[in-house]
Amino acid sequence: MKKAAFFGIFILALTFVACNSGTGSSKVSSDSSSPFAAEVDSLLSIMTLEEKIGQMNQYNGFWNVTGPVPAGDEAANKKYDHLKKGWVGSMLNVRGVENVRAVQKIAVEETRLGIPLIIGFDAIHGYKTLSPIPLAEAASWDMEAIKRSAEVSAAESAASGINWTFAPMVDIGRDPRWGRVMEGAGEDPYLGSKIAMARVKGFQGDDLSDPFTIAACTKHFAGYGFAEGGKDYNTADFGSSTLYNMVLPPFKATVDADVKTFMNSFNVLNGIPATGDEFLQREILKGQWNFQGFVVSDWGSIGEMIPHGYAEDGKHAAELAANAGSDMDMESYLYVEHLAALVQEGKVDEAYINDAARRILTVKYELGLFENPYKYCDEAREKATIGKEAHQEAVLDMAKKSIVLLKNENKLLPLKKSGQRIAVIGQFANDKNSPLGSWRIAADDNTAVSLMEGMAAYPDNRLTYALGAQVSVGPTSFVMETKINEDDTSGFAEAIRVARSADVVVMNLGEVGWQTGEGRSRANIDLPGVQQELLEAVYKVNKNIVLVLQSGRPLALPWADENIPAIVQAWQLGTQSGNAIAQVLYGDYNPSGKMPMTTPRDKGQIPLYYNHKSTGRPTIPAPNLVFWQHYMDESNDPLYPFGHGLSYTEFKYDGLEVNANGDGSYKVSFTLTNSGAVKGKEVAQLYIQDVTASVTRPVRELKGFELVELEPGASKEITFNISDAELGFYNNDGEFIVEDGLFRVFVGGSSATQYSTEFAR
Ligand code: NOJ
């Protein structure tokens, strides 16, 4: 349908504005406060049931959309047919202006009502220009930089025709075996909430109709990060205290930040698949939180309720999901097939269909798609935006801020800029692909700056390189198995030779980019393949080793922590990876990152997280007694605590005080001093413990942080105001309460700080 004709229908629709077809049910919750309510209602009033259900149907890109539909491809033909009938509301994985225009044209010009599609895509840490993986960004604790990174991702995605990203993932991750920890903000709900909000603001901006912004999608609602054993897609099982206080807060924060969409999740929680969970979606999200956007299922998750043992068949699954509040079906094909009959049979209230369609149409209006369905389709803008210089600068800045200095004995770092013989060892140092990490669908292979390339910017040292060990062998693409080399040590001799004659050895070891992400859990969180042996072999001939760890999760490397003098957590840092690492190694950037997840000493300690509960037997009562909470063969302590990260300078905390403000809130104050020799940034952290409560509280919880930059010798008084929001908690009925009693306050540079005071409320 041509644009003019489309507006004709639009005006016709307006005349039906009073007719709000069948939304009288008290169970639906979309309200009429949206500025587009009248337009949406009038459009709904002229839509057939099938067309409304069509809005709830999302298809993956299904053929080379700029060419003819392949003959004989039944699935593609069916999808094409549905698209032309107006039975498709959204598509994902169609990208690039030319392709998006082609599908949009069918929706707008060939269907009865010409309703535009909303085009979704997983722009998880960038589109073509990649930022660090989200877990790495979280290590920056820098909300401005994180927001900027999401803006870059939005600008490039929007320029390539995309309207909607399936990010941020806000699942709390306590288990580093779970491959998707790379996609979140780590283990803490307070930090996670701040980051979730920054990301939503970055993607959506202040005006969704701005063609450089896109709709965000908070996922995966809920509990997905608690997959048992860290195995992706596995069951999650936890109680209400954890649900309300740990899992839900980052989701709620994004509703407060006006996120436009949610995605539910693959997992079962307390026996109910999240996709079919009415309590989560209708009662909490759309009810208590008054979320006005729409919920998309995860890929095929409506159909997966059958193998879960919850739905009898596809029709039953569609009924359960629609009634539970899943508004859009991603790739199960079940809504389009069964919902109309389910409505006719009285099994799904038509009010639910109207409610879902209204939510989806509203977001399309907010994006400006009705005003101009092709507003994201501009080849000149696409060309000018993708990969532009300002984006490279933003992701480089983000990458530097994401690096965590885990250990730095004898000030081995920063490296001297001249007169040094530096041996660089390891596959990743010469690898332009792994630093891109997982979830980088639109980025071209081998487009990261490698560490060797980054270090070449410092030409006054003599660099030698040795592979040492090939980590992965064979194809390592998104769909194929990553084969790890478990036995080939033929490169060791050369590595030992270059290390022997070097002043300093930089070993760039870790995980292949595809070893984290969806479906990529690991039972071990060590150095894959023969890298540990390589590290130990090199150490025998040169102890001056800087270990640069590239990984999508914290790795448990107790031997390295004990023996290697300098360790840098460099994650997978995206397009500008090598430049960022080199600038940190040479001290042109003083690292300030702090770990957003606890690093265990051993996988047997998992789950290990700082904000755990106490037990009745937390400490050893007397030497040699066994009856207390501990392992016989491993310490209770982590290798690196949550919030840990060093700098090339040192920071001192003193003068801690808590004073009542007189209005029920308290002022925590202390002085932070840069006691070292160079300028640096510190993330000053505030933790609180509610010592005794009607539901036991964690031993401490992050309740504030500030990123402070200080010249050497300079001090700053830091203050945090703590009120009910920081002192209260959710009881097991989900009510937020604050109780009187003793509170302990800890401040410092990590969650392990013992610097504390207390006060009574
Ligand atoms: C499955 C993933 O769980 C989800 O996060 C992603 O957005 C969808 N696939 C679409 O790719």
Side-chain angles (χ1 to χ4, degrees):
M1 189 170 81
K2 306 265 170 337
K3 206 173 159 195
F6 168 76
F7 285 114
I9 294 279
F10 172 69
I11 287 160
L12 172 77
L14 274 177
T15 62
F16 287 84
V17 74
C19 170
N20 187 0
S21 51
T23 49
S25 169
S26 60
K27 291 184 285 181
V28 299
S29 47
S30 57
D31 69 14
S32 53
S33 63
S34 150
F36 298 104
E39 284 95 331
V40 171
D41 280 342
S42 60
L43 182 51
L44 276 173
S45 71
I46 57 163
M47 289 170 78
T48 62
L49 178 63
E50 286 73 15
E51 284 165 340
K52 287 186 265 191
I53 291 167
Q55 289 303 304
M56 300 167 69
N57 183 31
Q58 185 186 53
Y59 283 147
N60 190 38
F62 41 92
W63 79 96
N64 176 4
V65 288
T66 50
V69 187
D73 183 337
E74 248 182 70
N77 273 297
K78 191 168 167 189
K79 287 179 173 182
Y80 182 49
D81 180 49
H82 286 179
L83 188 56
K84 284 193 296 186
K85 281 186 169 136
W87 289 4
V88 182
S90 172
M91 290 188 63
L92 75 155
N93 291 330
V94 180
R95 61 189 157 89
V97 165
E98 195 190 358
N99 295 321
V100 172
R101 185 186 285 109
V103 289
Q104 197 65 288
K105 213 161 173 244
I106 303 169
V108 172
E109 299 184 17
E110 293 186 38
T111 67
R112 189 177 82 90
L113 293 175
I115 298 174
L117 297 164
I118 176 170
I119 306 289
F121 183 73
D122 290 284
I124 303 299
H125 54 115
Y127 183 73
K128 260 211 201 305
T129 307
L130 292 187
S131 256
I133 57 168
L135 184 65
E137 289 193 354
S140 72
W141 298 51
D142 185 326
M143 299 309 121
E144 268 314 303
I146 290 173
K147 178 166 161 259
R148 174 77 189 118
S149 156
E151 280 167 6
V152 169
S153 180
E156 292 202 0
S157 303
S160 81
I162 287 151
N163 323 123
W164 175 27
T165 179
F166 303 126
M169 187 191 96
V170 306
D171 299 301
I172 293 298
R174 289 176 170 176
D175 190 333
R177 293 171 300 181
W178 188 47
R180 295 194 82 167
V181 292
M182 58 77 55
E183 211 183 322
E187 75 190 33
D188 184 69
Y190 182 89
L191 178 63
S193 297
K194 301 271 179 222
I195 291 174
M197 288 168 98
R199 288 191 168 136
V200 169
K201 290 263 175 249
F203 290 129
Q204 296 191 166
D206 297 326
D207 176 7
L208 205 58
S209 73
D210 176 332
F212 285 92
T213 61
I214 55 177
C217 180
T218 304
K219 68 190 189 185
H220 305 85
F221 198 57
Y224 186 42
F226 282 69
E228 285 180 353
K231 217 183 325 163
D232 205 8
Y233 315 122
N234 210 358
T235 297
D237 209 342
F238 47 81
S240 17
S241 184
T242 301
L243 175 71
Y244 290 121
N245 291 288
M246 297 291 165
V247 173
L248 294 185
F251 288 97
K252 170 72 165 60
T254 64
V255 175
D256 295 342
D258 200 24
V259 72
K260 295 298 167 188
T261 75
F262 257 53
M263 185 184 291
N264 55 38
S265 59
F266 289 128
N267 58 283
V268 160
L269 173 60
N270 294 322
I272 314 283
T275 304
D277 195 328
E278 196 176 332
F279 168 68
L280 285 175
Q281 297 173 103
R282 287 218 187 271
E283 207 172 310
I284 293 190
L285 177 62
K286 294 176 178 175
Q288 290 169 27
W289 297 352
N290 193 28
F291 170 66
Q292 292 297 319
F294 69 87
V295 181
V296 63
S297 80
D298 204 344
W299 181 291
S301 68
I302 297 179
E304 288 177 17
M305 290 198 289
I306 305 168
H308 272 307
Y310 191 64
E312 281 160 21
D313 52 26
K315 189 170 176 185
H316 189 209
E319 176 188 338
L320 290 167
N323 285 335
S326 291
D327 299 311
M328 187 182 275
D329 172 358
M330 181 193 286
E331 277 288 309
S332 281
Y333 321 131
L334 294 174
Y335 279 4
V336 72
E337 202 173 327
H338 299 295
L339 271 189
L342 285 163
V343 170
Q344 270 132 28
E345 290 160 21
K347 290 188 172 146
V348 172
D349 190 335
E350 192 173 350
Y352 281 163
I353 308 296
N354 291 326
D355 182 57
R358 172 181 292 107
R359 289 167 180 274
I360 294 162
L361 292 170
T362 302
V363 174
K364 292 184 179 182
Y365 269 103
E366 289 174 333
L367 282 162
L369 288 167
F370 280 95
E371 194 194 329
N372 176 7
Y374 303 110
K375 68 185 284 190
Y376 296 80
C377 297
D378 173 344
E379 273 91 352
R381 173 161 81 107
E382 182 176 40
K383 203 157 166 246
T385 307
I386 291 178
K388 72 182 194 183
E389 196 47 42
H391 292 178
Q392 301 297 337
E393 282 162 20
V395 299
L396 173 59
D397 179 62
M398 187 75 256
K400 289 190 280 191
K401 289 174 171 164
S402 303
I403 292 172
V404 185
L405 181 62
L406 293 173
K407 185 179 174 195
N408 191 19
E409 233 169 52
N410 309 325
K411 298 217 159 106
L412 185 55
L413 287 174
L415 299 173
K416 295 190 189 75
K417 287 186 180 158
S418 61
Q420 297 281 293
R421 291 165 305 165
I422 300 184
V424 183
I425 296 172
Q427 173 192 314
F428 298 115
N430 240 345
D431 184 346
K432 293 171 68 62
N433 216 28
S434 268
L436 299 175
S438 200
W439 280 119
R440 23 70 68 98
I441 305 167
D444 300 318
D445 280 346
N446 298 310
T447 47
V449 176
S450 73
L451 179 57
M452 284 301 281
E453 288 169 333
M455 289 184 77
Y458 298 86
D460 298 336
N461 283 330
R462 199 155 61 81
L463 286 191
T464 46
Y465 172 76
L467 172 72
Q470 184 74 32
V471 181
S472 63
V473 192
T476 58
S477 78
F478 197 62
V479 286
M480 286 189 255
E481 194 191 354
T482 300
K483 290 200 193 80
I484 300 298
N485 160 31
E486 300 288 354
D487 47 25
D488 181 3
T489 57
S490 57
F492 280 27
E494 175 66 0
I496 288 166
R497 192 185 67 76
V498 299
R500 206 171 247 142
S501 55
D503 298 308
V504 183
V505 183
V506 173
M507 296 195 70
N508 192 188
L509 308 180
E511 293 181 317
V512 178
W514 295 122
Q515 280 188 281
T516 41
E518 187 182 345
R520 289 163 195 272
S521 297
R522 292 182 64 204
N524 296 300
I525 52 165
D526 53 4
L527 288 170
V530 292
Q531 293 180 96
Q532 179 67 34
E533 291 91 313
L534 174 67
L535 181 61
E536 292 182 28
V538 170
Y539 178 79
K540 283 200 183 119
V541 300
N542 193 333
K543 300 198 170 11
N544 266 350
I545 296 177
V546 177
L547 173 59
V548 176
L549 283 176
Q550 197 173 298
S551 64
R553 54 166 65 80
L555 297 179
L557 304 175
W559 184 91
D561 178 64
E562 204 171 304
N563 296 287
I564 301 299
I567 307 180
V568 175
Q569 177 65 49
W571 312 105
Q572 282 128 2
L573 292 173
T575 308
Q576 289 290 332
S577 175
N579 288 334
I581 301 171
Q583 288 180 32
V584 165
L585 294 184
Y586 278 106
D588 281 342
Y589 188 84
N590 188 353
S592 57
K594 300 275 187 179
M595 291 301 284
M597 273 186 89
T598 301
T599 307
R601 302 179 54 79
D602 186 278
K603 63 184 175 187
Q605 295 174 302
I606 298 171
L608 189 68
Y609 49 96
Y610 86 93
N611 49 1
H612 60 86
K613 300 280 178 85
S614 184
T615 66
R617 297 182 174 194
T619 47
I620 185 163
N624 301 324
L625 268 189
V626 296
F627 302 114
W628 69 291
Q629 178 236 351
H630 70 297
Y631 296 106
M632 292 179 72
D633 56 354
E634 184 53 272
S635 124
N636 280 347
D637 292 333
L639 193 60
Y640 307 111
F642 172 84
H644 168 77
L646 305 174
S647 162
Y648 293 147
T649 190
E650 277 104 52
F651 292 96
K652 212 172 76 198
Y653 291 72
D654 53 39
L656 174 62
E657 277 180 25
V658 180
N659 290 296
N661 288 326
D663 60 357
S665 70
Y666 298 82
K667 189 170 109 175
V668 178
S669 56
F670 57 93
T671 305
L672 179 70
T673 303
N674 178 347
S675 53
V678 291
K679 185 168 147 181
K681 271 190 291 177
E682 167 75 331
V683 182
Q685 300 159 44
L686 166 77
Y687 295 87
I688 296 180
Q689 179 191 16
D690 181 350
V691 179
T692 310
S694 57
V695 181
T696 62
R697 306 300 308 134
V699 292
R700 59 181 65 184
E701 291 178 284
L702 183 72
K703 291 294 173 185
F705 62 88
E706 191 179 325
L707 199 50
V708 190
E709 182 158 38
L710 290 173
E711 295 290 340
S715 295
K716 188 181 173 196
E717 178 168 320
I718 313 287
T719 58
F720 292 105
N721 262 313
I722 50 178
S723 54
D724 286 0
E726 287 77 31
L727 299 176
F729 62 91
Y730 291 93
N731 67 16
N732 288 347
D733 296 323
E735 294 153 358
F736 192 78
I737 56 169
V738 196
E739 295 180 343
D740 287 346
L742 187 66
F743 288 86
R744 241 167 240 140
V745 172
F746 303 80
V747 298
S750 90
S751 64
T753 175
Q754 292 305 328
Y755 188 35
S756 69
T757 184
E758 50 190 42
F759 69 97
R761 178 180 190 273

